[in-house]
Amino acid sequence: MRVLVSGGAGYIGSHTVLALVAAGHDVIVVDDFSNSKPSVQGRLEALAGRAIPFHGFDLTDADKTERLFAHERIDAVIHFAGFKAVGESVTKPLEYYRNNLDSTFALAASMAKYGVTKLVFSSSATVYGEKAPVPYREDYEHLSSSSPYGQTKVMIERVLSDIAQISEGWKVALLRYFNPVGAHPSGDIGEDPQGIPNNLMPFIAQVAVGRRERLTVFGDDYPTADGTAERDYLHVTDLAAGHVAALEHLDDMVEPARAFNLGTGTGTSVLELLKAFERAVGRELPYEIGPRRAGDLPAFWADPTRANTELGWHATKTIDDMCADTWRWQSRNPEGFPGS
Ligand code: WQD
C-alpha cells in the first residue's frame, strides 16, 4: 500500500516509516518539523536504501492537506502528527486542542473527499485516566485524561470512531501506546527531544552522554516494590511493527473502529530502568531522589491480549535491549539529529 505517514520525521513515526518500507509498502511523509528535524529524511533514506518523499507543511492547513491528497495516490494514513508534551499542554491548552484536533479534521476531510478509508491513529494509554484497573484493557469505557494533551487523544478517538461508523468502508485502528523507548539497532535514528527531556529514558540517556548532570527520580515513596513508579516500557521497533500489523489487519477488522493496546504487559520501575541503563553503559550513573511529579500514577501496564490475538503482534525486545539500543543512538549522536 502507499501510506501517508503524518509526523513521519518524529520519533515513533520515523521508526514506523522504516518498518513500512521493510514490509514492502510505499511511504510518503508529511511533517511540519515543529518537534523534529529535516535531517531525519536523509538518515531514513540511507537506512531504507531508497528515496522517501517528505512534504514539509502543517496539517492544520486544510488547503495544503487537500492538495496533497489531490496530487498523491494514498491508500492509507498513519497519523502521528500532534503536540505531545503533557506538561506543556497544561500551560497551552488552546494550542494543543487546536493543533491536534484541526490537523485530524483536515486529514479526515481529505480522506473522505478522496476515498481513503484506512487509518491508523497514534493514541496513548493516557486515555485510561487515573481510575482504570491495571492492567489496562481496551473495553474500559470511562476514558478521560487529566491533561489537555491526553484529552485530545480521547476526543480524537471519539471523532474518528464516529466518522468510521457512518462512512462506507472506513476502518480505523486506535493504537494506545504505553511507554515507547529505545532506538533502531543501527544507532542512526532515535528519540531526539527538543530542550530538557520530559520523559525518563531520554533523560537518563542524556545523563549518560554528559548532557545532564544527574537524574532526578520523581518520588521513591510509591506503593511499589522499590518505591519508584512502574511503567510498561515498549521498544520503539516493536511499536513500529505494531503499526504495520494494525495497518495490514484493517481489511479483516469487523468493527469500523477498534482500539488496541501496544505494550508488553509488564511493569518496570524507574530504578530498575536506571540500573538496566547502567548495564548498557558499563558504569553507574548519578541520580538523586526528588519529590513526586504532579499527575504521575504509581504503576500501570497493558493487557496486550487483543493485539496479540487479533493483530498477531507481540512485543519481543527486553528492557536491556531498549537500553542498549538507546545508548548506541545517544552515544553516536550526543546532540541528536544534525541541524535545526
Ligand atoms: C516515566 C516514569 C516519572 C522523568 C508520558 C506521557 C504519556 C506518554 C509517555 C505520550 C514516571 C519518572 C521521569 C524523570 C523520573 N507520552 N521520571 N524522572 O509519564 O509514564 O508517560 O510519556 O503519549 O502520555 O504521560 O512517562 O517517561 O515521563 O515517566 O523519575 O526525569 O519516570 O515520574 O514515573 P509517563 P515518563
Side-chain angles (χ1 to χ4, degrees):
M1 283 181 270
R2 193 153 199 264
V3 187
L4 173 65
V5 179
S6 79
Y11 171 43
I12 301 163
S14 57
H15 286 81
T16 302
V17 164
L18 285 186
L20 287 164
V21 169
H25 298 286
D26 290 327
V27 175
I28 48 178
V29 169
V30 57
D31 202 302
D32 67 359
F33 303 114
S34 60
N35 192 30
S36 57
K37 295 176 184 168
S39 57
V40 172
Q41 180 177 13
R43 295 284 179 94
L44 284 178
E45 292 182 332
L47 287 166
R50 59 189 284 193
I52 297 173
F54 269 52
H55 297 266
F57 68 85
D58 181 346
L59 283 167
T60 61
D61 183 327
D63 291 339
K64 285 184 178 175
T65 302
E66 184 183 342
R67 274 202 294 277
L68 182 65
F69 279 76
H71 293 108
E72 297 283 354
R73 177 175 65 80
I74 295 167
D75 301 315
V77 176
I78 302 186
H79 182 31
F80 293 102
F83 295 160
K84 57 148 283 189
V86 172
E88 183 184 56
S89 78
V90 175
T91 64
K92 299 177 178 175
L94 177 57
E95 283 183 54
Y96 268 68
Y97 285 117
R98 188 191 63 76
N99 181 72
N100 291 8
L101 294 171
D102 280 359
S103 56
T104 303
F105 296 156
L107 262 183
S110 294
M111 287 176 64
K113 180 168 184 177
Y114 291 92
V116 181
T117 60
K118 292 179 175 62
L119 174 63
V120 175
F121 174 62
S122 167
S123 190
S124 167
T126 195
V127 303
Y128 289 105
E130 302 181 352
K131 297 187 172 63
V134 178
Y136 291 167
R137 292 168 48 89
E138 295 91 344
D139 56 6
Y140 181 73
E141 292 181 348
H142 311 292
L143 300 184
S144 71
S145 180
S146 56
S147 73
Y149 156 74
Q151 280 295 81
T152 68
K153 296 299 187 182
V154 173
M155 293 174 180
I156 293 168
E157 285 200 8
R158 180 61 194 266
V159 166
L160 295 177
S161 299
D162 288 350
I163 293 170
Q165 294 293 341
I166 56 98
S167 305
E168 182 58 39
W170 272 52
K171 293 293 177 65
V172 179
L174 307 166
L175 303 186
R176 295 173 180 168
Y177 310 161
F178 283 71
N179 286 62
V181 295
H184 188 267
S186 66
D188 293 337
I189 61 170
E191 188 170 10
D192 182 17
Q194 310 304 299
I196 300 174
N198 299 306
N199 298 136
L200 179 62
M201 182 71 104
F203 199 103
I204 293 175
Q206 289 190 11
V207 170
V209 82
R211 284 178 65 182
R212 306 287 163 200
E213 191 177 339
R214 71 171 64 80
L215 172 71
T216 300
V217 174
F218 295 151
D220 68 347
D221 58 351
Y222 284 105
T224 60
D226 66 13
T228 64
E230 296 173 354
R231 295 290 184 273
D232 185 337
Y233 296 99
L234 174 70
H235 198 292
V236 66
T237 56
D238 280 334
L239 182 59
H243 287 73
V244 176
L247 176 75
E248 294 177 349
H249 171 73
L250 289 177
D251 279 345
D252 298 328
M253 205 164 80
V254 175
E255 303 80 356
R258 191 162 176 78
F260 297 91
N261 288 336
L262 293 185
T264 67
T266 306
T268 299
S269 77
V270 175
L271 287 178
E272 285 170 335
L273 192 67
L274 179 63
K275 295 305 169 202
F277 210 94
E278 291 177 342
R279 289 195 293 274
V281 177
R283 60 184 150 87
E284 289 191 356
L285 297 172
Y287 74 96
E288 64 183 1
I289 303 294
R292 292 182 177 188
R293 179 171 67 177
D296 277 351
L297 297 176
F300 61 84
W301 51 88
D303 176 342
T305 305
R306 182 182 286 185
N308 299 158
T309 56
E310 297 182 19
L311 303 182
W313 172 87
H314 291 80
T316 64
K317 300 283 179 72
T318 66
I319 290 289
D320 284 312
D321 295 329
M322 297 173 207
C323 292
D325 292 341
T326 301
W327 177 232
R328 188 177 306 108
W329 149 253
Q330 189 73 85
S331 56
R332 292 185 185 179
N333 303 272
E335 298 301 321
F337 289 104
S340 56

